[in-house]
Amino acid sequence: MSGSDDLRRRTVLRGAALTPVAGLALTGCAGAEDDRDSSSGTPEPGTALGPESDVPAGGSKVFDQQKVVVSRTEDGALKAWSTVCTHAGCVMTQLEGTTITCGCHGSRFDAANGQVLNPPATVPLTEVPVKVENGKIVTAQAS
């Protein structure tokens, strides 16, 4: 076997050894895509989220099914935001206090005002207008 044949053989073997590693890296990104939301992330007006009593003053609650996080100010006003991350469209469910975190790439948002706290996201969350009807939080028409 000549020196160039030996070199070619080593190059092929090295490439074959690295192929599974590259596949694992791509699989990790594909897993994140499974959490993506292809819709706008904003429920239709009139969608019931849950009891008003579920959101404490100064706190927040994620309504997973509707992809909305609702926060209540100290004075009792309700504000709501889509839980679809503005970075890559992943649906967020990890809420700690009033900070919601995207499990795909680590973006964090303030659930009280929708602002980005930690990149890679750079765009605030989409506001979801809400109102209270008969003790339930319901999505409303944008004004």
Side-chain angles (χ1 to χ4, degrees):
M1 185 181 294
S2 74
S4 66
D5 287 340
D6 190 37
L7 181 59
R8 255 182 290 190
R9 184 171 160 256
R10 278 185 278 171
T11 302
V12 168
L13 289 174
R14 199 174 299 131
L18 292 176
T19 300
V21 174
L24 284 175
L26 291 174
T27 300
C29 287
E33 287 180 16
D34 293 344
D35 294 332
R36 290 185 183 180
D37 184 357
S38 59
S39 70
S40 70
T42 306
E44 293 291 318
T47 302
L49 301 178
E52 178 185 17
S53 59
D54 281 0
V55 185
S60 301
K61 172 159 176 53
V62 173
F63 294 93
D64 292 336
Q65 293 276 349
Q66 301 86 351
K67 300 179 185 115
V68 173
V69 60
V70 178
S71 295
R72 184 187 301 272
T73 62
E74 291 296 335
D75 67 0
L78 295 174
K79 286 289 213 172
W81 312 95
S82 169
T83 59
V84 176
C85 181
T86 58
H87 169 248
C90 296
V91 178
M92 301 179 286
T93 59
Q94 301 171 22
L95 180 67
E96 211 172 296
T98 59
T99 300
I100 190 161
T101 303
C102 181
C104 291
H105 301 107
S107 293
R108 293 183 336 167
F109 299 86
D110 186 333
N113 61 25
Q115 295 300 305
V116 177
L117 298 174
N118 191 65
T122 58
V123 176
L125 295 174
T126 302
E127 187 169 3
V128 176
V130 292
K131 60 185 177 181
V132 176
E133 288 182 353
N134 301 319
K136 296 215 181 279
I137 303 168
V138 179
T139 57
Q141 194 76 286
S143 11

